[in-house]
Amino acid sequence: MQTRFDLTQADIPRQWYNLLADFPEPLPPPLHPGTKQPIPPEALLAIFPENLVQQEMCPHRHVEIPEEVREIYALWRPTPLLRAVRFEKALQTPAHIYYKYEGASPAGSHKVNTSVAQAYYNKVAGTKRLATETGAGQWGASLALACKLFGLECNVYMVKVSYQQKPYRRMLMHTWGATVHPSPSDQTDYGRKLMAEDPHCQGSLGIAISEAIEDTVKHPDTKYSLGSVLNHVCLHQTVIGLETLRQMEMAGEEPDAIIGCCGGGSNFAGLAFPFLQKKITEKKGYRIVGVEPSACPTLTQGDLRYDFGDTAEMTPLLMMYTLGHKFMPPSIHAGGLRYHGMSPMVSHALKLGLIEAEAYHQTKVFEQATLFARSEGIVPAPESAHAIAAVAEEAVKAREAGRKRVILFNLSGHGLLDLSAYETYLSGKLQDV
Amino acid sequence: MQTRFDLTQADIPRQWYNLLADFPEPLPPPLHPGTKQPIPPEALLAIFPENLVQQEMCPHRHVEIPEEVREIYALWRPTPLLRAVRFEKALQTPAHIYYKYEGASPAGSHKVNTSVAQAYYNKVAGTKRLATETGAGQWGASLALACKLFGLECNVYMVKVSYQQKPYRRMLMHTWGATVHPSPSDQTDYGRKLMAEDPHCQGSLGIAISEAIEDTVKHPDTKYSLGSVLNHVCLHQTVIGLETLRQMEMAGEEPDAIIGCCGGGSNFAGLAFPFLQKKITEKKGYRIVGVEPSACPTLTQGDLRYDFGDTAEMTPLLMMYTLGHKFMPPSIHAGGLRYHGMSPMVSHALKLGLIEAEAYHQTKVFEQATLFARSEGIVPAPESAHAIAAVAEEAVKAREAGRKRVILFNLSGHGLLDLSAYETYLSGKLQDV
């Protein structure tokens, strides 16, 4: 029986898909925090190169993928689509479960799909150095690799608690030649201020973003790079869904439910947006679900309003579901899902009723992720494991209803550098917060 | 330009290739340590199931891969063949460098190719429980996964120093449901004896093998499983080379040099043996090179003679290159290459002049592995990195001679759980021993 659906290098998409062109209502624009007026593109040039600012506001449905980027994608793309027949059996479900696997990339997740594109556009624009933040290190590592491939310097502010507790991803960034600072750091005014107020401050993603932006505006030839949330990041990730559309055709099935985990929204967008196009333009009845942790329930409990992307209020205001930019999520193992806000595009899709959202506690998440690892082999990243919890619930419902359902999800990364979370779960010490 | 050559699920080989059928001289048989006579197959039944004993001595050129094994192979196979155009550029070489990448498997290396086959044959034979040893944990993790997929218990003796210093691979074994003991342990007479003699004994692979064998003979329904060295292990790994033969055809090139790292010999055998068949039967002029660490130079400095596979002298005597079964290799980062002996089949091929061997110091190895990671993305496992050191030398020779050469190597695993070795290298603290 065919359980994997592989494409070849020639099938790597030549264009990204831009959902902005197909939204039934236009996306509310980012606002200047001072004037509360739509921010002019020029105002973003302090931190982003012009070509990416244009892409952020691009009205076109398709955007050419530069050949230099496609060539690097070929180091790990096309990624496989697999049918999880052993997981289906473990769940005793009549549902067919398919997963797109992004974990075979050198960095172990989907993040490199956009880091490579961003490094390319910065290189073309004359940028010499990129600054960014990272939580658990998935994004920092992905940007470190992309910068090395395009000959850019990479300066990463890593949330201090992760810097100390996740040494492997820090080492991975070093191996790819990046400079990594624990945040809050002594590299920025904001970091020094926080350190003076509380020398034991463990940091947060919002703080690290503020430091990376300050670093950017104070250094010549430096731009800022963000690993999720923004429109151009979601755009770059659509290679995932575009490949998957073809692979589901090869499998001869149409998904009933399409599921991805949501932190900033980019891996979810990557899989879902090309299917959303068909839902909007061809009236396909897909159920499309973003899954978040109950400990950071942005989509299910947040407000839809303009808010800052960072803690120090340095970013433009974005219209998004948010828990408030001062919200400090409790410590959970899915570090990549601990963000107070959500991609404006994903937020807009939820507001328009095009997608749904669910939240899961981490004990349930690790229970299903362990079952998945023991039936399909791959140990899922804690973030991706949230999607698996929702998949399992959908599959069990199909069993109870006696209905065949086709469920598709994005296995956005592997958890080989997150095994201590599994150890905590297996020893019975994992708690919901 | 095409740089990757992907096969589909239907291309997963249906038969393994058995080099025993094509050796110009027969392989010397294993001997009983007491009688010094060829060991009868029945004598091996205490630790291996009958079907694997038959496979160990199988005279046939091709062995059917059971459909249940092929279905599990499809979780990560076929693996890609890539041309390393960025590494070529970094080395400024006219050589074309191809690598077969086995690191995208759930366990991160080629080891699952045989663990799955061994678990299958044991399951068929009625085995309920497997015992094994592991050094850095690559093999233990691979057998843990295979046992879980076939519903067998898995009991792993892990060299104590690795158990303490490599917690992630231990956690990976737990995630896949195995029981893991630091070796020497209190589970066996041999372990207890060593602990009484030296409570601080850090263990070795030879000791852990002895414990796993003792565990096997003392428990009902338990068999022993070895991750390298033996003929049936090399046989299972030939899926690597069989896929690569087709992929090199797709690339339209024939390799001049074929390179793999050598610990027990299985990943080298996996890539090399199908090419060796063509070298023997079609007189192809391939240069085939096994690469080992200078700190454990079995092929380049060892003697070819009958020796034990373990420290406690419990195994049959094998005709192989060996540094002596009491040899304790110095601590190096490529834990998987710290074995005193070598696969008898690989040893025989070297004796017959069919292959060559080279040894490299680890500073040179990590220098080239870091260059590879920074040009191709993937961070190589320290073991696989030995092959890369030899590839780089071959590529530089091609540059100096102004000759195009086609170099093929096996990138047998990724190094995401070995990043502390890279950190040591990058901080200038790595030393040759």
Side-chain angles (χ1 to χ4, degrees):
Chain A
M1 186 175 114
Q2 192 171 0
T3 53
R4 63 181 294 144
F5 305 91
D6 285 302
L7 301 170
T8 67
Q9 184 174 357
D11 301 317
I12 296 173
R14 293 177 187 279
Q15 300 178 318
W16 291 299
Y17 165 66
N18 183 11
L19 179 61
L20 284 181
D22 286 313
F23 268 133
E25 290 177 20
L27 185 73
L31 302 185
H32 190 284
T35 66
K36 301 286 191 312
Q37 294 300 307
I39 200 159
E42 313 83 77
L44 294 172
L45 297 179
I47 57 171
F48 295 116
E50 188 173 2
N51 48 17
L52 284 177
V53 171
Q54 285 169 352
Q55 214 167 61
E56 184 67 15
M57 302 178 172
C58 172
H60 306 301
R61 182 167 289 114
H62 298 107
V63 176
E64 290 295 313
I65 304 180
E67 203 46 43
E68 293 88 336
V69 172
R70 280 187 84 239
E71 283 171 6
I72 292 178
Y73 279 174
L75 293 175
W76 66 91
R77 307 204 72 86
T79 59
L81 178 79
L82 289 106
R83 185 166 152 208
V85 286
R86 287 170 183 76
F87 190 49
E88 291 169 13
K89 202 172 163 190
L91 294 168
Q92 298 177 286
T93 180
H96 290 189
I97 300 174
Y98 291 87
Y99 61 99
K100 178 72 166 168
Y101 183 48
E102 292 290 306
S105 82
S109 85
H110 69 292
K111 293 278 184 186
V112 277
N113 296 328
T114 185
S115 71
V116 166
Q118 291 189 47
Y120 167 79
Y121 285 112
N122 272 286
K123 177 77 178 179
V124 167
T127 307
K128 305 287 186 216
R129 180 175 175 275
L130 283 175
T132 198
E133 73 290 328
T134 198
Q138 291 271 25
W139 168 245
S142 298
L143 192 66
L145 172 58
C147 283
K148 180 53 72 181
L149 292 173
F150 284 107
L152 303 174
E153 278 181 61
C154 186
N155 210 36
V156 183
Y157 293 85
M158 183 173 191
V159 177
K160 190 172 282 175
V161 62
S162 297
Y163 185 92
Q164 290 159 347
Q165 291 181 356
K166 305 239 171 185
Y168 274 46
R169 287 226 177 78
R170 165 166 52 84
M171 294 174 191
L172 186 54
M173 290 184 258
H174 288 161
T175 302
W176 283 326
T179 303
V180 189
H181 307 286
S183 166
S185 76
D186 59 2
Q187 302 284 306
T188 66
D189 289 343
Y190 187 59
R192 285 185 291 267
K193 172 171 167 284
L194 292 177
M195 292 284 277
E197 287 168 15
D198 175 10
H200 301 294
C201 176
Q202 291 293 289
S204 74
L205 205 53
I207 292 169
I209 294 176
S210 299
E211 283 204 279
I213 293 179
E214 184 184 329
D215 177 300
T216 300
V217 297
K218 288 193 177 163
H219 283 86
D221 298 328
T222 296
K223 295 294 179 193
Y224 170 67
S225 179
L226 191 66
S228 190
V229 179
L230 298 178
N231 300 349
H232 67 272
V233 180
C234 294
L235 176 79
H236 300 154
Q237 292 294 355
T238 59
V239 285
I240 301 171
L242 292 166
E243 286 179 7
T244 308
L245 277 171
R246 293 195 53 177
Q247 290 166 305
M248 287 302 301
E249 267 178 44
M250 289 165 71
E253 302 213 84
E254 274 257 46
D256 296 301
I258 297 158
I259 296 174
C261 64
C262 274
S266 77
N267 95 81
F268 171 78
L271 177 66
F273 284 5
F275 286 90
L276 258 178
Q277 181 189 23
K278 293 169 77 85
K279 181 167 179 167
I280 295 168
T281 62
E282 300 175 27
K283 309 290 177 208
K284 294 280 188 183
Y286 306 135
R287 179 165 180 253
I288 303 182
V289 187
V291 187
E292 59 188 13
S294 298
C296 190
T298 316
L299 288 170
T300 54
Q301 305 277 332
D303 300 321
L304 180 66
R305 61 179 170 85
Y306 274 106
D307 194 12
F308 290 99
D310 71 327
T311 308
E313 308 185 351
M314 298 174 80
T315 71
L317 292 165
L318 301 173
M319 174 60 86
M320 61 182 177
Y321 282 92
T322 176
L323 297 162
H325 64 280
K326 301 288 187 192
F327 177 78
M328 184 69 82
S331 178
I332 54 168
H333 286 287
L337 305 184
R338 292 175 72 245
Y339 183 63
H340 69 272
M342 180 55 62
S343 151
M345 289 177 83
V346 172
S347 296
H348 196 53
L350 181 62
K351 180 209 154 198
L352 296 177
L354 294 167
I355 65 169
E356 300 166 45
E358 293 178 356
Y360 286 85
H361 285 291
Q362 65 180 357
T363 50
K364 169 85 175 170
V365 164
F366 277 93
E367 179 192 338
Q368 296 303 328
T370 301
L371 184 65
F372 185 87
R374 291 179 174 187
S375 48
E376 295 292 317
I378 296 163
V379 178
E383 293 81 7
S384 324
H386 283 73
I388 295 176
V391 167
E393 184 140 313
E394 188 84 10
V396 168
K397 275 188 208 154
R399 179 182 71 206
E400 288 164 355
R403 281 200 307 157
K404 185 196 147 190
R405 295 267 288 170
V406 178
I407 306 169
L408 166 67
F409 76 98
N410 192 9
L411 186 51
S412 55
H414 66 63
L416 291 180
L417 297 186
D418 307 282
L419 284 164
S420 56
Y422 284 87
E423 189 80 352
T424 304
Y425 167 71
L426 291 166
S427 63
K429 291 182 191 149
L430 188 72
Q431 301 203 321
D432 291 327
V433 284
Chain B
M1 186 177 112
Q2 192 171 0
T3 53
R4 62 180 297 145
F5 305 91
D6 286 302
L7 301 170
T8 67
Q9 185 174 357
D11 301 316
I12 296 172
R14 295 178 186 277
Q15 300 178 320
W16 291 298
Y17 165 66
N18 183 11
L19 179 60
L20 284 181
D22 286 313
F23 268 132
E25 290 176 19
L27 185 73
L31 302 186
H32 190 285
T35 66
K36 300 287 190 310
Q37 293 300 307
I39 200 159
E42 314 82 77
L44 293 171
L45 297 178
I47 56 170
F48 295 116
E50 189 173 0
N51 47 17
L52 283 178
V53 171
Q54 285 169 352
Q55 214 166 60
E56 183 68 15
M57 302 178 172
C58 173
H60 306 300
R61 182 167 289 114
H62 297 107
V63 176
E64 291 294 314
I65 305 179
E67 203 46 43
E68 293 88 335
V69 172
R70 280 186 85 240
E71 284 171 5
I72 291 179
Y73 278 174
L75 293 175
W76 67 92
R77 306 203 73 85
T79 60
L81 178 79
L82 289 105
R83 186 167 151 210
V85 285
R86 287 170 184 76
F87 190 49
E88 291 168 13
K89 201 172 164 191
L91 293 168
Q92 299 177 284
T93 180
H96 290 188
I97 300 174
Y98 291 86
Y99 62 98
K100 178 72 166 168
Y101 182 47
E102 292 290 307
S105 82
S109 84
H110 68 291
K111 292 279 185 187
V112 277
N113 296 328
T114 185
S115 71
V116 166
Q118 291 189 47
Y120 167 80
Y121 285 112
N122 272 286
K123 176 79 178 179
V124 167
T127 306
K128 304 287 186 220
R129 180 173 173 277
L130 282 175
T132 198
E133 72 291 327
T134 198
Q138 291 271 25
W139 168 246
S142 298
L143 192 66
L145 172 58
C147 283
K148 179 53 71 181
L149 293 173
F150 284 107
L152 303 175
E153 277 181 62
C154 186
N155 209 37
V156 183
Y157 293 86
M158 184 174 191
V159 176
K160 190 173 282 176
V161 61
S162 297
Y163 185 91
Q164 289 159 347
Q165 291 180 356
K166 305 240 172 185
Y168 274 47
R169 287 227 177 78
R170 164 166 53 85
M171 293 175 192
L172 187 54
M173 290 184 257
H174 287 161
T175 302
W176 284 325
T179 303
V180 189
H181 307 287
S183 165
S185 76
D186 59 1
Q187 302 285 305
T188 66
D189 289 342
Y190 186 59
R192 284 185 291 267
K193 172 173 167 286
L194 292 177
M195 293 283 278
E197 287 168 13
D198 175 9
H200 302 293
C201 176
Q202 291 293 290
S204 74
L205 205 53
I207 292 169
I209 294 176
S210 299
E211 283 205 277
I213 293 179
E214 184 184 330
D215 176 299
T216 301
V217 296
K218 289 193 176 162
H219 284 86
D221 297 328
T222 297
K223 294 294 178 194
Y224 170 68
S225 179
L226 190 66
S228 190
V229 179
L230 299 178
N231 300 350
H232 66 272
V233 179
C234 294
L235 176 80
H236 300 154
Q237 292 295 354
T238 59
V239 286
I240 301 171
L242 291 165
E243 286 179 5
T244 307
L245 276 171
R246 294 195 52 177
Q247 289 166 306
M248 287 301 300
E249 267 179 44
M250 290 165 70
E253 302 213 82
E254 274 256 48
D256 297 300
I258 297 159
I259 297 173
C261 65
C262 274
S266 77
N267 95 81
F268 171 78
L271 177 66
F273 284 4
F275 287 90
L276 257 178
Q277 181 189 24
K278 292 168 78 84
K279 182 166 179 168
I280 295 168
T281 61
E282 301 175 28
K283 309 292 177 205
K284 294 279 188 184
Y286 307 134
R287 179 166 178 251
I288 303 182
V289 186
V291 187
E292 59 188 12
S294 298
C296 190
T298 317
L299 288 170
T300 54
Q301 305 278 332
D303 300 322
L304 181 65
R305 62 178 169 85
Y306 274 105
D307 193 12
F308 289 99
D310 71 327
T311 308
E313 308 185 351
M314 298 173 80
T315 70
L317 291 166
L318 301 173
M319 173 60 86
M320 60 183 177
Y321 283 92
T322 176
L323 297 162
H325 65 281
K326 301 287 188 192
F327 176 78
M328 184 69 82
S331 177
I332 56 168
H333 287 287
L337 305 185
R338 291 175 74 245
Y339 183 62
H340 69 273
M342 180 55 63
S343 151
M345 289 178 83
V346 172
S347 297
H348 196 54
L350 180 63
K351 181 211 155 198
L352 295 177
L354 294 167
I355 66 169
E356 301 166 43
E358 294 178 355
Y360 286 86
H361 285 290
Q362 65 180 359
T363 50
K364 169 86 175 170
V365 164
F366 278 93
E367 179 192 336
Q368 296 303 328
T370 301
L371 184 66
F372 185 87
R374 291 180 175 187
S375 48
E376 295 292 319
I378 296 163
V379 178
E383 292 81 6
S384 323
H386 283 72
I388 295 176
V391 167
E393 184 141 311
E394 189 84 10
V396 168
K397 275 188 208 155
R399 180 182 72 206
E400 288 164 355
R403 281 201 306 158
K404 185 195 148 190
R405 295 267 288 170
V406 177
I407 306 168
L408 166 67
F409 76 98
N410 192 10
L411 185 50
S412 55
H414 66 65
L416 290 180
L417 298 185
D418 307 282
L419 284 164
S420 55
Y422 283 88
E423 190 81 351
T424 304
Y425 167 71
L426 291 166
S427 63
K429 291 181 191 147
L430 188 71
Q431 300 204 320
D432 291 327
V433 285

